[in-house]
Amino acid sequence: MLNLKTIRERLHEAPFKPFNIHLSDGRRIFVEHPDFISLGGSVVVVTSLDDTIQRLDALHIVSLDDVPLKKRNGKH
């Protein structure tokens, strides 16, 4: 389990960098903007641009990783 303090710290970095949350079942959840994630004591809720909501049990969060930002010409 990843400490939720790590996610809170990521959300307050300036500038914010989008990241993926990796879960114990192999799923990756994309966090595009700090406004799209809410942290409770043991629950994380992530909303996507299409208003899909995913409720995650903090016990199943294994890691975070950076998402490469696209350059203006569309290339990485």
Side-chain angles (χ1 to χ4, degrees):
M1 176 183 99
L2 182 84
N3 187 329
L4 289 181
K5 180 181 176 201
T6 305
I7 297 176
R8 285 186 180 95
E9 289 170 353
R10 277 298 293 261
L11 295 175
H12 291 97
E13 288 180 0
F16 175 81
K17 293 179 231 158
F19 61 93
N20 283 315
I21 298 174
H22 290 265
L23 302 174
S24 59
D25 65 2
R27 288 183 296 154
R28 284 186 305 191
I29 309 300
F30 179 54
V31 179
E32 185 169 357
H33 190 276
D35 288 346
F36 295 163
I37 186 169
S38 178
L39 305 177
S42 63
V43 174
V44 176
V45 177
V46 180
T47 306
S48 63
L49 285 174
D50 65 359
D51 289 334
T52 302
I53 296 172
Q54 298 188 65
R55 185 178 186 262
L56 314 173
D57 185 327
L59 291 174
H60 293 283
I61 297 174
V62 228
S63 64
L64 307 176
D65 70 350
D66 292 333
V67 174
L69 297 174
K70 292 182 181 179
K71 294 183 180 178
R72 289 185 182 253
N73 62 6
K75 297 180 183 175
H76 290 259

